[in-house]
Amino acid sequence: MSVVSVENLTKRYGTVVGIEDVSLSVEEGEVYCLVGPNGSGKTTLLNILLDFVRPTDGDVTVCGHDATTDSLAVREHVGVVPEGYGVYDRLSGRQHVAFAIDAKGADDEPIDVLDRVDLVDVADQWAGEYSKGMAKRLILGTALVGDPDLLVFDEPFSGLDPTAFAQLLDIIEEERDRGTTVFLSTHLFGPVEHVGDSVGILLDGELVTERDVDRFRESEESLESLFLMFAGEDGESREPDETDRGTEVVA
Amino acid sequence: MSSLLVARKDFMDSVRSSILTALLGVFILALLVIALGYLIVVPRRSMASMLVYVTTLVKWLVPITALLAGYSAIVGERDGNTITFLLGLPITRGDVLAGKVLGRSAAVLLPITVAFLGIALITIVAYPTFLPLALLTLFGASALLAVVFVSVSVAISALTDSPVRAASATVAVFIACMFLWDLLPSAAYFLVNGTALGSQDAPAWFWFLMRLNPLEAFLALLASVMPTMATRVPADGPIYLSVWATLGIFLAWISIPLGAGYLRFDTDDLT
């Protein structure tokens, strides 16, 4: 069963195209990575999933619920690390987590959640005193509250120090092993090759190709070379091809 | 209820805001100092005349405090990127709006209540005839006025996506209610009659147009129980000048801006 189903999705901001006619699906239990440069439409796509942004055209279903008309039901199943991850300056880390627990009607203990993201020592400090990386880990912690079926992470690796980076990879693997589906966006290739199951490349608002990440583990081909083939080394993108996920790459 | 959850979070967050705390402190101090000062300067006056004096201050302080408390409620969360934290959770945008109104109202009503408890204490001790109904009405009307201006400012914060624009709109509302509104009935009178309103009695609808201003509605509520409140409105006026109609005006000031704010915020892209 598809946890996320996106069909012919288009979003225009006035005359500016956010994403154009994107279709994809994320299957239960997989880690799907959306890769693309800044401004390629990754955030727009994830924001439509969460109803932060309303689509111009197309259909999006998340965990069996329409993302636009039934967003509350969607968000009962989802844990989110949004692109901008603001925290409340005058609430403590513990209070942030407690708020997420209350909002989700979950029964986690705040301190256990903070332990997973290594923030126990600063649990009662105001989040306004946290570094950027700590704030991001806090938001990551709140996303894990209530054992969601789907994790939506927008650029989760940016702003993390190497330790937190490795911890996040571990958390994603743990969550996948528990059967959680992960849909994340990133402009980095390393984490995709490490934890990804599927990857979709988004360029100028169009999904140009999808692949099983296993292919890169088995062959000499790297995600980077695939990406550059589509993006062009000069950054000029070529016409998208019709390749579906898992089909051969014609180099 | 998620809106109560948002309200609680917002109240905790806003009472810790140093600007808001300072403002609320000033509010309590100003009211108590004015009440005590009045007592010392004119000790032989009645409690009613002191309440009239307090009213002139409340009419300024309550709108300013309430507008400042609310204008950044939602646009501030959009600007600081915390809105996606809230809305990534199973919370609707309606919950956020309602929670903001409740939370910010509570943050303003708390000092108003403290200030009025102080004034009650001062007046009980200082005056031989204590006027509980007048004091309660002044308190209730002040609380209503606060909720009206919190609603208006939270609505503004939901209608715009820029904090600067929200601040400008809030200042514009304050100036309009405080200084410009009186021109409206006079202009309407001129359009209807072709002459300016002279010394003759104004028609009832003229007073109704005046009273559509929440600050006038506030004074009208007080005048209904405090005979010493100077009022230019005939006591036996038509139904739309009754106390109930005045309460309806308050209700409209709460619901119409918030309704508009909701419609906009609920469909807006959070980018």
Side-chain angles (χ1 to χ4, degrees):
Chain A
M1 178 199 141
S2 297
V3 174
V4 178
S5 162
V6 176
E7 283 170 37
N8 307 111
L9 186 65
T10 295
K11 174 64 185 181
R12 297 187 199 95
Y13 301 96
T15 54
V16 180
V17 172
I19 49 175
E20 183 76 44
D21 198 26
V22 169
S23 297
L24 62 82
S25 65
V26 179
E27 304 306 319
E28 190 171 346
E30 76 169 336
V31 178
Y32 188 107
C33 307
L34 208 52
V35 175
N38 295 335
S40 57
K42 305 189 296 291
T43 294
T44 295
L45 178 51
L46 296 186
N47 280 352
I48 291 172
L49 251 60
L50 301 166
D51 195 39
F52 296 164
V53 166
R54 305 277 155 81
T56 308
D57 201 12
D59 290 304
V60 179
T61 309
V62 181
C63 300
H65 302 280
D66 186 281
T68 303
T69 59
D70 205 5
S71 175
L72 193 64
V74 167
R75 285 176 284 129
E76 276 164 4
H77 295 277
V78 176
V80 182
V81 175
E83 178 206 27
Y85 46 94
V87 292
Y88 296 99
D89 290 350
R90 293 176 297 272
L91 296 182
S92 70
R94 190 195 298 270
Q95 285 170 320
H96 278 81
V97 175
F99 181 79
I101 291 170
D102 288 344
K104 290 186 179 182
D107 56 3
D108 305 55
E109 283 298 322
I111 205 71
D112 296 340
V113 175
L114 290 167
D115 187 41
R116 283 192 80 185
V117 290
D118 207 15
L119 288 174
V120 173
D121 294 345
V122 291
D124 294 309
Q125 267 181 40
W126 287 8
E129 296 167 3
Y130 286 11
S131 68
K132 270 189 107 177
M134 287 157 80
K136 184 144 210 173
R137 268 146 56 203
L138 176 59
I139 296 296
L140 174 64
T142 63
L144 299 173
V145 163
D147 193 15
D149 301 328
L150 170 69
L151 294 171
V152 176
F153 291 170
D154 197 355
E155 292 285 357
F157 300 100
S158 65
L160 295 181
D161 63 33
T163 315
F165 196 104
Q167 279 171 341
L168 176 57
L169 289 175
D170 287 345
I171 285 175
I172 292 173
E173 282 184 332
E174 281 165 32
E175 289 296 322
R176 183 190 47 199
D177 292 346
R178 298 160 70 163
T180 309
T181 310
V182 182
F183 191 11
L184 65 84
S185 79
T186 179
H187 61 272
L188 304 173
F189 302 121
V192 178
E193 291 178 347
H194 195 93
V195 294
D197 294 310
S198 304
V199 59
I201 296 179
L202 207 56
L203 286 172
D204 295 333
E206 296 187 45
L207 188 69
V208 293
T209 190
E210 289 182 293
R211 291 288 191 278
D212 285 335
V213 177
D214 272 343
R215 295 172 45 81
F216 305 114
R217 300 195 181 101
E218 289 158 1
S219 70
E220 291 295 303
E221 190 197 6
S222 72
L223 174 58
E224 185 174 359
S225 63
L226 177 72
F227 177 79
L228 289 176
M229 193 185 88
F230 284 102
E233 295 199 39
D234 52 358
E236 290 289 309
S237 58
R238 297 179 191 168
E239 285 300 298
D241 72 357
E242 299 297 322
T243 326
D244 282 322
R245 195 194 308 190
T247 53
E248 289 296 316
V249 188
V250 184
Chain B
M1 280 294 286
S2 299
S3 55
L4 288 180
L5 195 64
V6 174
R8 199 180 67 194
K9 177 209 73 67
D10 202 54
F11 178 74
M12 284 172 11
D13 196 30
S14 41
V15 294
R16 288 177 187 164
S17 147
S18 45
I19 299 164
L20 199 59
T21 322
L23 198 72
L24 301 179
V26 165
F27 179 89
I28 295 177
L29 261 179
L31 269 187
L32 294 182
V33 165
I34 283 290
L36 277 174
Y38 185 82
L39 200 62
I40 293 163
V41 176
V42 276
R44 278 178 210 89
R45 291 289 191 81
S46 70
M47 173 171 169
S49 58
M50 181 206 260
L51 290 186
V52 171
Y53 193 62
V54 166
T55 300
T56 56
L57 192 71
V58 164
K59 196 185 144 187
W60 278 87
L61 276 181
V62 165
I64 292 175
T65 316
L67 288 171
L68 279 170
Y71 85 94
S72 73
I74 287 174
V75 78
E77 294 232 16
R78 291 178 74 164
D79 200 48
N81 273 325
T82 47
I83 195 79
T84 49
F85 168 71
L86 275 187
L87 292 176
L89 297 166
I91 294 172
T92 65
R93 298 191 192 192
D95 288 335
V96 172
L97 190 65
K100 287 288 177 183
V101 175
L102 291 173
R104 304 282 156 127
S105 294
V108 176
L109 290 177
L110 180 71
I112 289 179
T113 308
V114 171
F116 271 94
L117 284 175
I119 290 172
L121 208 66
I122 293 169
T123 47
I124 285 174
V125 171
Y127 296 108
T129 43
F130 180 60
L131 306 169
L133 181 66
L135 185 62
L136 269 177
T137 307
L138 179 55
F139 172 61
S142 305
L144 261 178
L145 192 66
V147 174
V148 161
F149 279 102
V150 166
S151 302
V152 168
S153 57
V154 170
I156 288 172
S157 83
L159 281 165
T160 169
D161 55 6
S162 134
V164 175
R165 225 170 292 155
S168 319
T170 308
V171 170
V173 165
F174 181 74
I175 291 173
C177 289
M178 214 67 192
F179 305 111
L180 302 180
W181 196 289
D182 289 2
L183 301 175
L184 177 75
S186 302
Y189 187 89
F190 183 79
L191 285 177
V192 170
N193 296 305
T195 58
L197 182 62
S199 54
Q200 72 274 33
D201 280 346
W205 61 259
F206 179 92
W207 298 115
F208 181 68
L209 284 185
M210 287 285 280
R211 196 171 287 182
L212 287 178
N213 180 350
L215 295 174
E216 284 292 326
F218 167 71
L219 295 179
L221 274 190
L222 298 181
S224 68
V225 295
M226 290 162 66
T228 48
M229 282 291 303
T231 173
R232 296 162 291 181
V233 188
D236 53 348
I239 183 89
Y240 56 82
L241 289 178
S242 67
V243 171
W244 294 110
T246 306
L247 289 172
I249 291 171
F250 276 118
L251 200 65
W253 272 97
I254 293 169
S255 54
I256 294 172
L258 285 177
Y262 174 75
L263 289 178
R264 174 68 193 275
F265 178 54
D266 195 47
T267 50
D268 214 12
D269 286 344
L270 305 175
T271 47

